[in-house]
Each structure stands twice: as C-alpha cells, then as structure tokens.
Amino acid sequence: MRYPSGDVALDQATFAVDREDFVFLVGATGSGKSTVIRLLIKELEPTEGTICVAGRELRDVERKRVPYYRRNIGVVFQDFKLLPNRTVYDNVAYALQVTGGTRKEIREKVPDILRLTGLSLKLHNYPDQLSGGEQQRVSIARAFVNHPPLLLADEPTGNLDPETSIDIMRLLYRINRTGTTVLVATHAQAMVDKMRRRVLELSRGRIVRDEATGLYARDETTREFANRLRAPSTRPPGLEP
Amino acid sequence: MSFGFFLRESFRAMRRNAAPSFAALATVLVTMLVLGVFIPIVQATNGAANSVRSRVLVDVFMNTGATPADAARVEREVRALPHVKSVQFVSKAQAYAQQSKLDPGAFTLLGSNPLPDTLHVYPDNPGNVLLVRNELTPPSSGGKPIDSMIQTVSNKKNDTKKILEVTNLVTITAAVLTVLLVLASVLLIANTIRLSLYARRREVEVMKLVGATDWFIRWPFVIEGTVVGAAGAVLAIVILGITKVALLDPLASSWTLIAAPQTIPFWALLALLLGAGVMVSAIGSGLSLRRFLRV
C-alpha cells in the first residue's frame, strides 16, 4: 500500500485472521496499523495486493456498495468519532437508522447494548458531557449495535488511563466471546502482553511478528480476564518483544 | 425511516446549528431583496429604451404632384426593399386632417393643402433604420431617391444614431448588471452553505463510517437548504410586498417608470424569487456536500 504522497505504508504485510479470533495489531506509530484498518473499511484502496473479508475481495466492492459493506463492520476509533449534537442514545440509534432499522427495533436494541456497555444512566447525555472512557464505550456500543461479524478498533485505549483501558479491553473481549471477530490496533504493549491473544506486529509496513501465544485461553470468563490484566506485569514465557 | 425521519433530522440540525442556518437565511433574504428590486428596474429601463427605439422610422415625402397611382407604385417599391418591416401610407388628405386638427387656425388661413403624400417606413429592427435610409437614397447615385416621384427622404441621421447608441448602451448595461448580480447571488448563497457544511464535515465523515449511503446523509441537508431558502425568500417577499403597497403604488400614477407596462407582473416576480431561493439553496446544499462525501 502506497499513499499518493509516495510514502509506502504497508509492504508485504500478508496475514489472515480466522473467524471469531481476537487479534492485536501492534507496532510503533507510523508502522501502518491505522492503514490496515482504513484499508479494511475501504476508506483507502490498496495500490497492490488484495484484501479479502469474509471471502469477498474488497476490490470488487463497488463505490456505491461501500456503505452496505461497512454495515458489516463495527469500527472504534481513538478519538471516538461520535456525533457531537446527538445524545448517547441517538448516537447509537443512528447506526441502526442508517441500515433502515424500524423504530421498534431501535427501542429494543439500543437500551440493550447500552446496558451491556454500562451506559444505561447516560442515555440523554451529549458526548461532551461524558468522560473519555464513557465516550469510548458509546463508540463501541454504536459499532456493535448491529452485531457485525467483524469489529475493528484503532487505538481504542489511546486516550484513556490504564484502569479505563482495562474496562474497554474487557468490553471488547466480551464482544469477542459473542462470536465477533475483533482486530485491535494498539501500541499499549503491556496490555497486549497480559492479554495473551494472537499478536501481529508491524514495523515500517511489514509484519515482523505473528504469534498465537501458547497460553491462549478461550474459555476464560471476562472477570478472570480482567483480573489477569490488573495483575502486575509478568511477561508470559515465549513472548519476545 | 423515510421522509419523516429526514425532516426530523434536518430540523434537529437547524436547531443545533442555529447561527450558520441563520447566516444562510439572511444571505438568501438579502440577495432576494436585491434581485426583487433590481429585476423590475432593469425591465422598466429596457421597456423605456425599447419604446423609444420603436419610434425610430424613415419618412418618405412624395412630390406634391404625385398621383395616387404614383404613390401606390412607390409604396410597392419601398415594401420590396430589405429590412423594411411595414410601410404606412398617409395621403395628403389624411395628413391635412391630422394637422388641421392640431392647429385649425393656421390651416384655414392657408386655404389649400400644402402637405405631400407621406410614407412612414418602419425598419424590421430599429438598428437597421440607417440601412433602410441608404436603400431609399443610395449613396452610389449621389443620394438621389430611388424613385423620381419621391421628393425627400427624412434625414435625421444624427438624432437617430444617438437614440440607437444610448438605448443600446442602456440595454447592454442592464443585461451585464443582471448577469453579474445573479452570478453573485448564486455564489454568495453557495458559499454560505459551503461554510456551514464545512463546519459539519466531521459529522458527515462519521456518518459515512457508520455505513450511511450518500443520499441518506444528503437528504436532511437538502431539506434544510429548502427550508432555509424558502424562509429567506418568503421574508424577502413580505418586505417587497410591504414596500410595493406602501411606497410604490401611491407613486405609480406620478412616476411612469414604476407603472411601465413592460415590467414583470408582481406575482410572477414573487414566484420567481421563491423558486430561485429554494432551488439555489437546496441544490447548493446537495452539491456542496459532494466533496465531503468522498470518504
């Protein structure tokens, strides 16, 4: 992948992610993490190579069909990207309105997802009245309200303190356990090491590490999972930086 | 999710972005006011210029000794010339009757009729009046009329030229001003819309990322443009209407320019303003959004 400016963002970054996986994409800033996300939502077109999502080549998705393609993917950003002049409820509802959801459907699904993300008491607040962690949970709620098969998160904890970050990761893990494939781009190395999920490391646009850790523990409950995250950093064996 | 949803969305946007919406409304209001005043003025000016120009003609005076047969022959010849739209024959007797009505005393003194038969020659286009005159008295024959029975051809070359030049200038100036004003109005409204959209480009970006189709995003903006444009135009119309009833109508009898029959009817002017206000802002909103939709 090459940008019009001539900078090469990704080069020989070939990888595959299985369904229902939880995968971290790590690397320093500028290593191409965000480019991967932007390619996956077809905000960018690769200059070379192919991208397949759910067996479909992205190049074959027409411009007109892109919105429909994006409805199958939830996206969470570092800067939340909420609509500033809508309440929490309306922000989440918008994702359903876009897909032509009926009012009944919205009344059922939105409170559900807000309960899951712990925002039931903030329904009628506007984004600027929320803390960073709460805003990020709204953004996750919006991304997940359609129950998309794939959830992408670009530095979801980049603007948050460690404790809040754990909450967010826990939420993402819970979403993963409902059968959604989750891809998280982050540079929070400590968090990644503790989570013991598959890690893809990018450096200058190349995949330099692809590792499914031996301690892959699928049946962990979210509470155990969170406890492990809070535990002091003990680098699991077999994980070299 | 249908029209009702889009309508609610656009009203929410207007409420939450009151200042830019008001700016757009004020822009439409002012431009429509200016257009509403300017259009009738241009038309009245053009009408006045045209009515002056339509009076431009060439008079052909026959010899006093010309028989009706001569007159008929000359009339045929004149009709055959290029650029002649119509020829009006005024016989000696008719001319005498007309003139003696104006000044009965003078003509009874004269006793006999000194007036010649006359042909009023109207050119097809006021600008061609000098061509017609040249056809009647070809310069090649030393300025002698084409028929020996023609006494003279009226020679008001300088006056005619001046009238044509002045009226031409007036018409062209009015046309250029109109074009400039319409262009400026469209650009001004488009620019205001663009600015208010620019402030909301992040919102549009987010909508696209959530999977909204272009038209799903665009409809509320188009409706918003329609409402704002209509509101601005209606306000302008109200102000124009009050001005017309309170100021112009009482003056119309004493100032002919205002009462000029060639101006656009008032209701048509209002319809035009309303249509233009709504169209420009609705289409402007839809089009200006294009570049922000390319995400």
Side-chain angles (χ1 to χ4, degrees), chain B residues 1-25:
Chain B
M1 290 313 129
S2 53
F3 187 70
F5 171 74
F6 293 130
L7 204 62
R8 264 181 286 124
E9 284 291 295
S10 55
F11 275 96
R12 177 216 300 268
M14 273 182 272
R15 223 179 27 247
R16 304 283 306 182
N17 302 285
S21 299
F22 181 76
L25 190 147

Side-chain angles (χ1 to χ4, degrees), chain A residues 14-30:
Chain A
T14 303
F15 66 92
V17 174
D18 286 334
R19 200 189 307 176
E20 303 188 3
D21 249 358
F22 191 114
V23 178
F24 278 111
L25 197 58
V26 300
T29 45

Side-chain angles (χ1 to χ4, degrees), chain B residues 46-90:
Chain B
N46 271 343
N50 281 337
S51 74
V52 169
R53 287 163 69 95
S54 67
R55 279 180 231 141
V56 170
L57 55 85
V58 182
D59 284 336
V60 173
F61 300 108
M62 305 292 287
N63 278 332
T64 35
T67 62
D70 289 332
R73 189 188 69 242
V74 172
E75 189 177 340
R76 265 200 315 281
E77 286 169 0
V78 174
R79 273 188 204 283
L81 295 175
H83 303 304
V84 172
K85 188 176 79 183
S86 63
V87 176
Q88 190 195 1
F89 177 71
V90 181

Side-chain angles (χ1 to χ4, degrees), chain A residues 140-233:
Chain A
I140 291 173
R142 180 183 65 191
F144 191 60
V145 69
N146 280 323
H147 293 273
L150 174 61
L151 189 88
L152 306 175
D154 191 1
E155 299 277 9
T157 59
N159 281 343
L160 306 174
D161 61 74
E163 185 61 22
T164 318
S165 301
I166 288 172
D167 280 352
I168 296 295
M169 283 299 175
R170 191 171 156 189
L171 191 56
L172 291 175
Y173 179 66
R174 193 189 281 183
I175 285 170
N176 174 238
R177 289 189 29 118
T178 66
T180 295
T181 313
V182 178
L183 178 68
V184 180
T186 183
H187 58 247
Q189 191 75 44
M191 179 90 68
V192 173
D193 290 344
K194 278 192 233 167
M195 293 243 326
R196 299 186 205 161
R197 301 289 131 183
R198 182 174 166 202
V199 177
L200 291 165
E201 186 171 341
L202 278 168
S203 173
R204 297 208 196 105
R206 284 166 192 263
I207 300 274
V208 294
R209 177 163 71 124
D210 181 354
E211 187 151 36
T213 77
L215 294 170
Y216 197 96
R218 176 111 197 109
D219 294 331
E220 226 173 5
T221 66
T222 47
R223 188 178 302 276
E224 286 162 2
F225 175 80
N227 285 339
R228 188 153 52 72
L229 288 191
R230 286 200 185 82
S233 181

Side-chain angles (χ1 to χ4, degrees), chain A residues 83-108:
Chain A
L83 297 170
N85 52 21
R86 281 162 212 266
T87 60
V88 166
Y89 184 93
D90 288 340
N91 259 288
V92 178
Y94 191 79
L96 286 171
Q97 285 160 344
V98 156
T99 59
T102 61
R103 240 180 270 187
K104 183 163 169 282
E105 212 179 321
I106 290 171
R107 263 201 301 271
E108 283 168 7

